[in-house]
Amino acid sequence: MPFTSPFAASTAKAGHGSIELSVLPPDTPVLRNVSYQYPLKLVAPDPLPPPDKSTDADAPRLVHTVFLLTYGGGIVAGDSINLSIGLQGRASLILLTQGSTKIFKTPDPTLVSRQHMTVSLVQGSALVYLPDPVQPFAHTAFSQSQIYTLEKEEGSLCACDWVTSGRSARGENWDIYEYKSRNEVWTVGEAGKKRLLLRDNLILDKHGRTGLQLSRRMDGYSVFGTLIIRGPVFASLSQFFLDEFEALPRIGGRNWGDAAQPELTPREQRRAQRQQREKADGLIWSAANVRGFVLVKFASREVEGSRNWLRDMIREEGSILMAFGERAVLCLK
Amino acid sequence: MTMSADQQSLRDEIADLERRLEDAKSRLSPSTVISTNPTPANDAALHALLLLADSALPLGSFAFSSGLESYLAHHKPSPPSASQLPSFHTFLRLSLSTLASTALPYVLAGYRHPEDVETLDNDFDASTPCTVARRASIAQGRALLTVWDRSFKAHNSTTTEAPSGHDGEGNAVNKAVMDSLASFSKAVRTSDNINAHLAPLWGLITRVLAVPLHDSAYLFLFSHARTVISAAVRASVMGPYQAQAVLASTELQDRIRGLVEEGWDRTVEDAGQSVPVMDLWVGRHEKLYSRIFNS
């Protein structure tokens, strides 16, 4: 007689995970579901109330945090991770990693490790995703995608995606076979009609007929990153990035020393100091206001240059820390 | 005895091979004659190609350096008198690679699927991360549409029937392509959501003009190379004869041909940036102290 298990058949698949955050009436956000399968691991510490409770009566009473981890601190060749995240109602979520996502060597360039994440947001929900960078080691092939779906163009999003040149201490400098990272933001309208709002797709592979090593294509930079910001929760952060970009000194401009230096306000002083550090760290960045997003691109000679710059910018502006707390910038410390 | 038998069989083999060679040659030649035969349809496609390849085509491409100016500002030679030529060559390679990975799939898709042009236009807009590049692409796309409306359209309604039109079906397909273009052209004037980016429109308009797809893709990349090289001349990187030499080089030919081949089957979903620092150079063009170009 065949043995029949008394338990329901497991629907979980290796590397799959899901996070569902919804609001328990009247106004308590709860993690309804956190599930994961090897090699993915999710850790959800207790939610904390946001530091700033006074300004907005509509703000969520609790902010949840989930750490995205993988066993061994990285992704082994052939691993495939598939995470789906759903935010309902007025819920806020911070997604974090614990250290850079390491991509380990593949025996065969055609064996590509994958990480796929889908996030759905609705009106009033907000996601902060400021992870550590992805660190693909030499001889690796990795492809990741982050697909955000907004209901009727609503929801707030602040997501960073950054990658480093490998283990620079071991002399690795973009010695990868392939690295792809795709960030897409879609909107779903009334009739379920989907429209692409933003696509940021980075493709580093042997194609392109440049006849140059990947490291030369990168022009001496070890870190590249994109920060995608959208929605009412991050409106002031968006504006801050645009203002600071506008305030960057002109490239090729000279100070002839004949104009009297005006007295600097505290903000201008901090700005001047930060711009000094940008110069010292070999960091360059740009910000653009496109299709309701503020898209920030940055690159620096070393990882710490980008990390410090991102943290300084977010701290200086302050609204993320007020609405989400210190945890939001844990990966930038 | 055995020797002569061997020799005989060798002779037979040679005779057989020669016969097969002749046969193959005779089968080959009629088709080569046909393909080089100047039919009206081929001439129309060639004519359209020449029109589009003309640097006098009023797209305003001369106003854009596609990031070259910003790149040069980020790579000041030391000493300042040193030639910027080596860094220009690097930039040209990177710039062509970027264009082939980001825009070329939209050219091919615009040609192959004219009915999707509005979606392609939206998706291309969503994939263009900075205002400077976006402005340049839209300015040239709109100019191309204007050239079509004001200059080409009137002369094209009669010629489009020739290329694929031996049967009624071909005409119907052509009509559908023309309709896509006409409705898109109308939508550009009425809707705020439509931008008219260059890449998908280039595909669509070369389709209407019955330029072969491969030529259309090649010309798209070639025009970009020409624009960047011409910008380099005006930015005093090199002289006009040197510029023509770069443009005529087999190295450039091989590169463009290779890029078209590489991108032939790439879908628009897989279009993406292959040179991430390019976005920064182009995006930071706005921050240059002095500028002679719009991008």
Side-chain angles (χ1 to χ4, degrees), chain A residues 182 184 186 195-212 214 216-219 221 224 244-254 256 283-291 295 297-299, chain B residues 70-71 73-75 90 93-94 96-97 101 106 121-123 125-131 134 193 195 254-255 258-259 261-262 266 268-277 279-281 283-284 286-291:
Chain A
R182 170 192 298 274
E184 287 178 356
W186 293 80
R195 191 166 81 95
L196 185 64
L197 295 176
L198 184 86
R199 177 178 285 146
D200 176 74
N201 195 10
L202 173 64
I203 303 167
L204 301 177
D205 60 13
K206 61 182 189 306
H207 295 300
R209 306 274 161 160
T210 53
L212 300 172
L214 204 49
R216 283 214 47 207
R217 221 198 274 180
M218 310 309 257
D219 200 42
Y221 293 100
F224 280 94
E244 290 301 307
F245 184 61
E246 192 52 44
L248 277 181
R250 293 275 173 177
I251 302 162
R254 284 189 193 178
W256 300 102
L283 182 132
I284 59 170
W285 65 284
S286 71
N289 192 353
V290 280
R291 295 166 68 94
L295 200 60
K297 298 252 170 194
F298 56 89
Chain B
S70 175
Y71 170 82
H74 283 87
H75 293 82
T90 308
R93 288 174 180 201
L94 296 180
L96 276 171
S97 165
S101 67
Y106 285 89
D121 184 64
N122 173 66
D123 292 3
D125 195 58
S127 311
T128 306
C130 73
T131 14
R134 199 164 163 266
N193 285 331
N195 306 284
D254 291 345
R255 177 156 298 126
L259 287 170
E261 207 174 287
E262 225 176 61
R266 188 187 286 221
V268 291
E269 289 76 24
D270 286 328
Q273 181 56 273
S274 58
V275 185
V277 68
D279 286 336
L280 285 159
W281 293 330
R284 286 164 63 86
E286 294 181 72
K287 300 308 302 177
L288 297 190
Y289 183 74
S290 56
R291 283 171 281 183

Side-chain angles (χ1 to χ4, degrees), chain B residues 74 98 100 238 246 278 289:
Chain B
H74 283 87
T98 287
M238 60 174 136
V246 175
M278 189 64 74
Y289 183 74

Side-chain angles (χ1 to χ4, degrees), chain A residues 126-147:
Chain A
L127 173 75
V128 177
Y129 181 34
L130 296 169
D132 289 283
V134 179
Q135 187 184 19
F137 293 176
H139 313 300
T140 54
F142 180 62
S143 171
Q144 68 170 357
S145 53
Q146 291 76 235
I147 313 292

Side-chain angles (χ1 to χ4, degrees), chain B residues 13-23:
Chain B
E13 199 183 337
I14 290 169
D16 179 48
L17 284 172
E18 276 174 346
R19 204 171 43 247
R20 279 164 57 190
L21 179 64
E22 281 301 320
D23 185 39

